Amino acid sequence: IKNIVSSVSSQIRGAFSSESMSNLLGAFKKLKDELQFTKGLQANETMLRQMGIPNPEEINAKAHSLEKRWGDASNNVLKTANVMSNGLGYSMEMSMGTLENFYEKGGNLNGDMLEELQNSLPQIKQMGMSVEDYLGVMTNGAKKGMSSENTFKGLEQSIAAIENLDKNKLNEI
């Protein structure tokens, strides 16, 4: 009996060892993360349906793909694409394609492409620029080590200077 008790006691200690508990906690954390991820996908799809997007599953999958590849939260990608769609008359597919294109070109080197685009859209339209041109300028600035804020200020100043040129001087150029 003493040997049996000792064996059982040893097995119980092994079952509750710090390594076993750590593994168990890790498994619970992974499960929690997976459930949060699923909840996020469902929330995105609901948001897309509420916006009247005809193909929410495809758009959601694209946003999730961008999140996995580039690290920005899929709901933020979707919100930016929606701002582009509403502000420029783009389809969600076109907005998502534009974002993907500029992620691939390095447009998010400063880590703020989505935020800058959301905040700057009215000024971009006022300057008469396309989003693609704007993102191209911002990407080039980031590749040269400039902050997004300084690149945008320089862009605004350049356009203002061109607008203030005398028409005769502008024709000479």
Side-chain angles (χ1 to χ4, degrees):
I1 293 181
K2 190 175 185 181
N3 287 340
I4 294 173
V5 169
S6 177
S7 175
V8 169
S9 178
S10 188
Q11 289 176 359
I12 290 174
R13 275 194 301 275
F16 291 102
S17 71
S18 61
E19 183 180 341
S20 295
M21 292 305 287
S22 179
N23 289 341
L24 182 61
L25 289 174
F28 282 131
K29 183 181 180 332
K30 185 176 179 181
L31 177 62
K32 177 186 157 225
D33 291 346
E34 290 293 323
L35 291 173
Q36 285 297 101
F37 167 74
T38 302
K39 185 178 177 182
L41 284 177
Q42 290 171 341
N44 286 347
E45 196 167 311
T46 298
M47 177 178 69
L48 290 167
R49 286 186 195 287
Q50 290 171 342
M51 288 190 285
I53 303 302
N55 52 347
E57 297 88 4
E58 292 173 31
I59 298 296
N60 198 15
K62 181 72 141 186
H64 174 64
S65 172
L66 292 176
E67 178 179 2
K68 286 185 82 165
R69 289 173 44 211
W70 305 106
D72 283 329
S74 60
N75 66 335
N76 202 19
V77 171
L78 291 170
K79 287 176 185 174
T80 303
N82 187 49
V83 167
M84 290 170 62
S85 296
N86 289 327
L88 302 170
Y90 286 13
S91 68
M92 280 295 278
E93 292 86 355
M94 185 175 177
S95 296
M96 294 294 288
T98 300
L99 292 174
E100 181 176 31
N101 185 30
F102 279 93
Y103 273 116
E104 290 172 356
K105 289 181 179 181
N108 200 33
L109 287 174
N110 287 336
D112 59 359
M113 177 179 76
L114 299 178
E115 180 183 347
E116 288 295 321
L117 187 53
Q118 287 179 28
N119 294 335
S120 303
L121 192 60
Q123 294 96 319
I124 295 166
K125 284 178 66 173
Q126 187 177 8
M127 289 186 270
M129 291 185 76
S130 70
V131 170
E132 292 80 5
D133 289 341
Y134 163 79
L135 287 171
V137 169
M138 298 304 284
T139 299
N140 287 334
K143 286 180 178 179
K144 292 180 180 179
M146 295 175 62
S147 71
S148 297
E149 184 178 335
N150 286 339
T151 302
F152 190 70
K153 283 181 185 175
L155 179 62
E156 285 180 312
Q157 291 169 352
S158 297
I159 289 176
I162 290 169
E163 289 174 347
N164 290 329
L165 281 176
D166 181 294
K167 291 213 186 270
N168 291 330
K169 289 188 182 206
L170 192 56
N171 287 335
E172 289 175 18
I173 296 175

